[in-house]
């Protein structure tokens, strides 16, 4: 998604060689108009897929999932919680997910009322890095007796291998912008000319 790559270049910042901050339009402050474009693009990428429900994780994935729902038929949006609230008195599905950014393992929890057997579930998130959160959400879907319709990420850090891991397990992955490397504060995307030269051995 060229508009997204341009927005990352113009408004994003980098920390070292593996962190991209997009707080200004996605993770802290949300550009609602641009979020609509993201939702439309996910709908285009997954056109033809049956989507009964969208699953994401709190908190940064919620806006993306809600922003996509109108363009895929308004399925219910479910977000995995990272701790079971006192109000969750019924049964729930629970898996563990490692966060390399935060350096800890978190629980992802969804009430059994909101993941139903026999459905096709689209998993969406803001970032795809090592793929641990997506794998955990896919496991929640499996526990519920449903199928993963696909996995979508707004921004993928391709150099951290998450999408390869997910595709090796048979999941369809659609990332709107794939970062191949971060070097000296510059972000290189998969389709950038420099990448094409590297692949061609130039």
């Amino acid at each position: 998604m060229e508009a997204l790559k341009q927005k990352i270049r113009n408004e994003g910042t980098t920390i070292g060689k593996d962190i991209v901050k997009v707080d200004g339009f996605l993770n802290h402050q949300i550009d609602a108009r641009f979020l609509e474009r993201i939702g439309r693009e996910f709908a285009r990428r997954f056109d033809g897929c049956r989507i009964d429900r969208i699953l994401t994780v709190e908190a940064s994935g919620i806006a993306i999932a809600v922003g996509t729902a109108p363009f895929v038929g308004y399925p219910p949006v479910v977000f995995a919680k990272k701790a079971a609230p006192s109000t969750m008195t019924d049964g729930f599905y629970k898996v563990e997910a490692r966060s390399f950014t935060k350096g800890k393992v978190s629980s992802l929890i969804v009430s059994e009322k909101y993941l139903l057997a026999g459905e096709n579930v689209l998993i969406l998130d803001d970032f795809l890095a090592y793929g641990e959160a997506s794998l955990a959400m896919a496991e929640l879907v499996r526990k519920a007796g449903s199928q993963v319709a696909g996995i979508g990420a707004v921004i993928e850090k391709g150099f951290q291998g998450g999408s390869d891991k997910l595709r090796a397990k048979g999941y369809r992955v659609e990332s709107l912008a794939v970062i191949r490397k971060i070097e000296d504060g510059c972000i290189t995307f998969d389709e950038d000319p420099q990448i094409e030269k590297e692949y061609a051995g130039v």
Side-chain angles (χ1 to χ4, degrees), residues 23-142:
D23 289 4
F25 69 90
L26 195 64
N27 289 134
H28 194 39
Q29 171 177 272
I30 295 172
D31 183 334
R33 189 179 299 276
F34 195 76
L35 185 66
E36 181 178 331
R37 297 180 68 177
I38 287 171
R40 288 183 184 278
E41 181 62 14
F42 274 131
R44 187 186 72 80
R45 299 280 186 105
F46 290 103
D47 185 38
C49 293
R50 185 185 122 204
I51 299 170
D52 301 307
R53 200 168 298 259
I54 299 175
L55 176 64
T56 189
V57 64
E58 64 176 5
S60 54
I62 297 173
I64 294 154
V66 171
T68 301
F71 305 108
V72 293
Y74 287 100
V77 171
V78 180
F79 59 91
K81 294 178 177 288
K82 294 179 180 175
S86 59
T87 54
M88 191 179 285
T89 56
D90 298 324
F92 54 81
Y93 303 110
K94 178 180 177 180
V95 296
E96 304 297 320
R98 177 176 295 279
S99 170
F100 287 90
T101 304
K102 296 180 180 178
K104 65 177 184 179
V105 175
S106 299
S107 297
L108 299 186
I109 301 166
V110 175
S111 169
E112 292 176 357
K113 294 188 296 184
Y114 302 128
L115 277 181
L116 307 179
E119 292 189 330
N120 277 19
V121 180
L122 175 63
I123 294 172
L124 295 179
D125 212 348
D126 56 345
F127 274 90
L128 171 57
Y130 294 96
E132 298 299 315
S134 294
L135 285 170
M137 285 190 279
E139 178 63 10
L140 287 171
V141 173
R142 188 198 67 78

Side-chain angles (χ1 to χ4, degrees), residues 1-12 22 24-26 31 34-35 38 189:
M1 184 178 176
E2 192 59 40
L4 174 59
K5 289 188 283 185
Q6 197 59 44
K7 199 165 182 69
I8 295 168
R9 290 190 188 100
N10 293 342
E11 301 180 30
V22 287
F25 69 90
L26 195 64
D31 183 334
F34 195 76
L35 185 66
I38 287 171
F189 295 95

